[in-house]
Amino acid sequence: MTLIKSISGIRGTIGGVAGDNLTPPDIVKFTVGYTRWLAEHNHKEHRRVVVGRDARISGDMVASLVKGTLMGCGVDVIDVGLCTTPGVELAVTTKRADGGIIITASHNPRQWNALKLLNDRGEFLSDADGHRVLELAEAGGAEFPDVDWLGHVVESGSFGEQHIDMVLALPLVDVEAVRARHFKAVVDPVNSVGALVIPRLLERMGVEVICLNSTPDGNFAHNPEPIAENLTQIMEAVRHHGADLGVVVDPDVDRLAFVCENGELFGEEYTLVSVADYVLSVTPGNTVSNLSSTRALRDVTERHGGSYSAAAVGEVNVVAEMKRTGAVIGGEGNGGVIYPALHYGRDALVGTALFMTLLARSGKRMTELRRSYPAYYIAKTKITLTPDMDVKSILAVMKDRYAGKGRITDIDGVKIDFPDSWVHMRSSNTEPIIRIYAESGDRRSAEKLAADFMAEIQSLRA
């Protein structure tokens, strides 16, 4: 089964059997459920929803079904077309819409797509609201408006340039400092919507841009998850062109990774760490990341006199904790930067602009900047779920086995904090897998810790 319903939306592979995959009936059903949820929360006579999509091959088909269903339910559509996830989020508030639907499966391969659902604040639905959408989608019995009350496409156009304008207007973004450094950057937007905005953002900051995989047609040139094994092309390109850095985004541009001038990865975990270091140096305060993120953010935050806290994995959980603690910067260790001075959403554009400002003002090269941060290494592995696996029981066993051997957190799977390392085991929100993340001060120790726990979990299935 490849239809996943979680706080990250309704996600699945295109085609196959309805109910088991993301098929046309499923797309319509869940869109109807969303409109019914909107009606419960908003009693306007006419409701408006922003719809945008990444460049996936299935995107046009899914968008047509979503927009048609919204109109059939009496909802007006603001169509922003090919648009990043943070762009859609900002469009909801900028255009005073009542919600938004982002059609993207983020870092998943080309056969996947998804509906990410937003409230009127341009933020992902809470867990409770998400479950209510699913209940309404499955309930049946919906009543639809007659011909005189159908919705319409009330606005259509790109939001990319407006998004860039908003980022460059932020007080902490120093365009002139970046322009003065005459940077050269290689960009890999993996043939999706990042090609429409990331090169343009950098060029407006005075950066010379060399763009790879720049046709937004959804034919991903490599596995689109921005991790080391998928980024050999840009790592080589940075060296070949003598660039100062490489900039990598995922298909919907909410994750951000950098490549150093020597072709080595800066480390996706250190995207948030470095941006937070800059933000905290100007506006001291608290930070938040998720349980699977590096301890380096805690170290940097405490160095600036702030407090760090961890949330369950998932943007909505991180945002809730940021609001609770009044955090000035936060996000997820997978390269997701949330800067509330702009909006509460992971945004690779704002992450890029803040990072470029940090790099420019520091006077350092990428490798020098990376060495200035605490040295940790995260090993990431996973186990594919099978129908016979009872994940809750497996994690309960692991929790009991390690009780008293480390500090255990169970708000999202099971995380065990040891004095000099940690391991986190949890079900993915986006794929049918158990993720196992482990962090230590060196690669070998982290990889051994992850491998040991993976083997232990697999032994429970024997």
Side-chain angles (χ1 to χ4, degrees), residues 242-258:
D244 297 288
L245 74 160
V247 182
V248 183
V249 293
D250 65 340
D252 68 327
V253 200
D254 61 359
R255 289 175 62 174
L256 173 65
F258 296 109

Side-chain angles (χ1 to χ4, degrees), residues 45 50 65 73 91 123 192 199 217 258 305 350 353 361-362 376 388:
E45 190 171 272
V50 176
L65 288 168
C73 293
E123 299 168 11
S192 192
D217 60 7
F258 296 109
V350 77
R361 288 185 173 181
S362 73
Y376 293 101
D388 64 312

Side-chain angles (χ1 to χ4, degrees), residues 181-212:
R181 286 289 301 271
H182 303 289
F183 289 122
K184 180 192 292 187
V186 179
V187 175
D188 182 2
V190 73
N191 288 332
S192 192
V193 291
L196 303 175
V197 287
I198 297 296
R200 174 66 175 155
L201 171 71
L202 290 168
E203 287 167 353
R204 287 185 59 182
M205 298 184 80
V207 178
E208 179 186 346
V209 176
I210 299 160
C211 197
L212 313 174

Side-chain angles (χ1 to χ4, degrees), residues 295 376-383 398 402 405-406 414-425 435-457:
R295 283 181 178 176
Y376 293 101
Y377 183 84
I378 291 184
K380 302 179 180 182
T381 187
K382 58 190 177 183
I383 299 173
M398 298 300 289
Y402 286 88
K405 298 179 181 179
V414 176
K415 182 177 183 181
I416 307 163
D417 274 287
F418 303 108
D420 300 316
S421 61
W422 57 259
V423 63
H424 188 200
M425 303 158 283
R435 296 190 186 277
I436 304 167
Y437 289 5
E439 181 175 70
S440 186
D442 65 88
R443 179 188 297 266
R444 182 174 298 179
S445 297
E447 290 178 345
K448 183 178 187 304
L449 187 61
D452 288 347
F453 272 83
M454 182 178 181
E456 192 168 351
I457 289 173

Side-chain angles (χ1 to χ4, degrees), residues 21-349:
N21 305 276
L22 192 63
T23 68
D26 294 297
I27 294 163
V28 170
K29 179 175 71 173
F30 291 118
T31 304
V32 170
Y34 175 67
T35 65
R36 296 179 73 183
W37 174 83
L38 275 179
E40 289 183 345
H41 287 75
N42 184 316
H43 302 295
K44 292 180 181 178
E45 190 171 272
H46 296 289
R47 287 175 288 276
R48 302 194 308 164
V49 170
V50 176
V51 177
R53 68 178 182 90
D54 71 12
R56 287 171 187 274
I57 294 169
S58 61
D60 191 35
M61 179 273 290
V62 177
S64 295
L65 288 168
V66 166
K67 290 182 287 187
T69 303
L70 288 171
M71 290 187 284
C73 293
V75 177
D76 288 336
V77 173
I78 299 171
D79 184 5
V80 293
L82 289 170
C83 191
T84 68
T85 283
V88 176
E89 292 170 348
L90 282 166
V92 169
T93 54
T94 301
K95 297 177 181 297
R96 299 183 180 180
D98 303 297
I101 297 179
I102 310 162
I103 300 161
T104 175
S106 193
H107 63 273
N108 289 75
R110 65 197 293 274
Q111 67 268 30
W112 289 77
N113 216 325
L115 309 181
K116 292 185 176 182
L117 309 177
L118 304 175
N119 59 26
D120 60 356
R121 298 185 301 277
E123 299 168 11
F124 289 131
L125 301 191
S126 68
D127 187 52
D129 285 337
H131 277 97
R132 182 58 178 157
V133 169
L134 297 179
E135 288 175 359
L136 292 168
E138 300 292 350
E143 184 176 347
F144 299 93
D146 63 29
V147 68
D148 294 317
W149 292 93
L150 295 176
H152 303 277
V153 176
V154 296
E155 189 176 340
S156 181
S158 170
F159 194 77
E161 199 69 22
Q162 192 167 350
H163 187 180
I164 294 170
D165 289 341
M166 295 169 76
V167 168
L168 295 182
L170 290 166
L172 265 62
V173 173
D174 190 341
V175 174
E176 293 311 311
V178 174
R179 192 181 306 278
R181 286 289 301 271
H182 303 289
F183 289 122
K184 180 192 292 187
V186 179
V187 175
D188 182 2
V190 73
N191 288 332
S192 192
V193 291
L196 303 175
V197 287
I198 297 296
R200 174 66 175 155
L201 171 71
L202 290 168
E203 287 167 353
R204 287 185 59 182
M205 298 184 80
V207 178
E208 179 186 346
V209 176
I210 299 160
C211 197
L212 313 174
N213 308 318
S214 59
T215 304
D217 60 7
N219 288 303
F220 303 147
H222 52 77
N223 185 308
E225 186 168 10
I227 56 178
E229 55 263 39
N230 302 330
L231 302 180
T232 55
Q233 181 189 20
I234 189 170
M235 293 162 71
E236 174 56 33
V238 168
R239 289 190 292 263
H240 174 75
H241 291 285
D244 297 288
L245 74 160
V247 182
V248 183
V249 293
D250 65 340
D252 68 327
V253 200
D254 61 359
R255 289 175 62 174
L256 173 65
F258 296 109
V259 178
C260 297
E261 80 281 357
N262 63 357
E264 296 179 0
L265 291 180
F266 190 77
E268 63 174 349
E269 290 287 333
Y270 285 83
T271 298
L272 175 58
V273 172
S274 56
V275 171
D277 181 40
Y278 169 57
V279 170
L280 292 171
S281 72
V282 182
T283 53
N286 300 329
T287 66
V288 174
S289 64
N290 66 39
L291 287 168
S292 286
S293 300
T294 179
R295 283 181 178 176
L297 180 61
R298 178 202 65 185
D299 296 350
V300 166
T301 303
E302 292 175 352
R303 188 177 73 203
H304 286 286
S307 296
Y308 164 80
S309 58
V313 174
E315 183 173 313
V316 65
N317 297 319
V318 175
V319 166
E321 184 66 8
M322 289 179 69
K323 290 180 177 181
R324 188 188 72 81
T325 61
V328 296
I329 185 74
E332 300 192 277
N334 59 11
V337 174
I338 301 173
Y339 185 49
L342 182 62
H343 69 126
Y344 279 105
R346 292 182 301 172
D347 189 331
L349 279 77

